Amino acid sequence: MVSSPHEAMHQIFREDPRLFARALPKAGITLPEPAEVQLLDTDLTEIRPLERRVDTLLRVDTADSGSYLLAIEMQGRRDPDKLNSWTYYLAHLYAKYELPPVLLVVCQDKTTASWAAEPIRIGPSTHTSIAVFPLVLGPDNLPAIIDPDEAAQDLGLSVFSALTHAKDPALPAILDALATALVDTGGEIAKDWAEFTEIGLGDPRTRALWRNLMATYTSRFPGSGTLIEESINKGLAEGESRGRTNDILRLLTLRGIDVPEAAHERITGCTDLETLGVWFDRSVTAVDVEELFAP
């Protein structure tokens, strides 16, 4: 299992190598339809003092347009040194495999995505010797999935979309749709994607939001030995109504929603699970605590 958000983002393409072929059209980018996709060694080192590794490397074979290489990089911030690395990657891959390479950069914020999409031109001002045109997937061109039915149709793409939008203000609604889809799907695959999501989110606040969502919905989620089950067991130990009350208050706090004393007492004093369920659902998107209590 992956251990960091960066690993989670590129490991998705190793778990689901055809994901790029489903994600790129969502951003209006078209590549030849793959007939076969193979994972390749990501080590691009030529001499020991200069070690370079691409995050993920795929060989894509198509039925009518030949084969090409897809180098996938996860980029969390602007890094001028990456421009040199990316140029090297493509030149080295072309020389090593004698196949046309394509660079795909995945970003979680629009500023980094805009920077990564700029062409890289190498040469004097009067002549460009090498030009690199990265493809970029980010929150500005990959649609957010907020419909549970749509999320359930392609769990891999839905998890990838959620991680790409990890800094989006609409993240609570995105995660709510994904959690619903995973619970409805069930099974080992759904549990694996749920853990991928938690690790890939990175930020402690958003991880806590994800755990709260899963703890709420997992009464229908089978399985054991996962982070999800730990959340279930904790909720059961505290009592179902008390756990739901704590989830509501914690979620409001994480979202920066002010909870006056009277509202706090009303929430903690409620023991009706149906009412608490309605309040929790509303706490995902409410702009203030009064929206929880609306008729």
Side-chain angles (χ1 to χ4, degrees):
M1 179 52 66
V2 297
S3 59
S4 72
H6 181 271
E7 289 180 18
M9 285 294 282
H10 69 75
Q11 185 69 18
I12 288 180
F13 290 95
R14 298 180 185 178
E15 296 287 331
D16 186 357
R18 291 177 175 268
L19 173 61
F20 78 93
R22 306 193 304 275
L24 287 174
K26 301 285 186 181
I29 301 172
T30 303
L31 291 177
E33 182 70 22
E36 183 178 357
V37 180
Q38 304 174 42
L39 283 169
L40 300 179
D41 188 355
T42 60
D43 189 351
L44 306 183
T45 305
E46 278 293 304
I47 54 177
R48 187 171 298 276
L50 183 63
E51 182 175 335
R52 298 182 186 271
R53 292 181 184 271
V54 66
D55 287 337
T56 298
L57 181 61
L58 303 174
R59 172 180 172 141
V60 183
D61 300 319
T62 70
D64 304 317
S65 303
S67 302
Y68 64 92
L69 303 175
L70 185 66
I72 305 175
E73 283 280 284
M74 311 305 148
Q75 195 63 30
R77 58 181 176 81
R78 295 168 60 101
D79 182 359
D81 290 339
K82 277 295 186 178
L83 305 183
N84 295 331
S85 297
W86 293 341
T87 304
Y88 171 87
Y89 293 166
L90 297 184
H92 176 80
L93 289 171
Y94 185 65
K96 181 177 181 178
Y97 293 99
E98 297 183 348
L99 290 173
V102 177
L103 173 64
L104 173 62
V105 183
V106 178
C107 306
Q108 290 182 301
D109 65 89
K110 295 180 180 181
T111 300
T112 303
S114 178
W115 165 80
E118 296 178 1
I120 306 169
R121 303 182 187 276
I122 298 177
S125 59
T126 57
H127 176 72
T128 299
S129 298
I130 300 176
V132 176
F133 299 91
L135 297 178
V136 176
L137 282 176
D140 55 342
N141 64 356
L142 185 65
I145 299 175
I146 58 175
D147 177 61
D149 292 335
E150 182 182 357
Q153 292 174 10
D154 192 332
L155 293 179
L157 180 61
S158 300
V159 171
F160 177 61
S161 176
L163 297 184
T164 303
H165 288 271
K167 300 178 182 179
D168 193 312
L171 183 63
I174 297 170
L175 293 181
D176 184 72
L178 177 58
T180 302
L182 290 175
V183 171
D184 289 343
T185 301
E188 292 297 322
I189 294 178
K191 289 189 291 182
D192 288 343
W193 283 128
E195 292 190 20
F196 252 109
T197 302
E198 179 171 340
I199 296 169
L201 288 171
D203 180 72
R205 291 163 59 96
T206 54
R207 281 186 177 182
L209 170 60
W210 177 247
R211 286 175 178 172
N212 280 322
L213 285 170
M214 294 308 300
T216 299
Y217 296 146
T218 44
S219 60
R220 295 180 288 133
F221 201 106
S224 62
T226 66
L227 293 172
I228 298 168
E229 187 185 33
E230 294 175 12
S231 297
I232 299 172
N233 291 337
K234 180 179 179 181
L236 291 174
E238 295 177 346
E240 192 171 1
S241 63
R242 174 58 60 186
R244 184 65 61 87
T245 298
N246 290 342
D247 288 341
I248 294 170
L249 293 173
R250 187 175 183 183
L251 181 55
L252 292 172
T253 300
L254 289 172
R255 297 188 58 236
I257 303 296
D258 181 53
V259 182
E261 183 176 352
H264 187 280
E265 292 179 355
R266 182 173 178 180
I267 294 171
T268 56
C270 180
T271 58
D272 181 74
L273 290 176
E274 183 175 354
T275 299
L276 289 172
V278 172
W279 289 353
F280 178 84
D281 291 342
R282 292 176 178 177
S283 67
V284 174
T285 56
V287 297
D288 57 51
V289 74
E290 292 304 320
E291 284 194 22
L292 266 64
F293 308 133

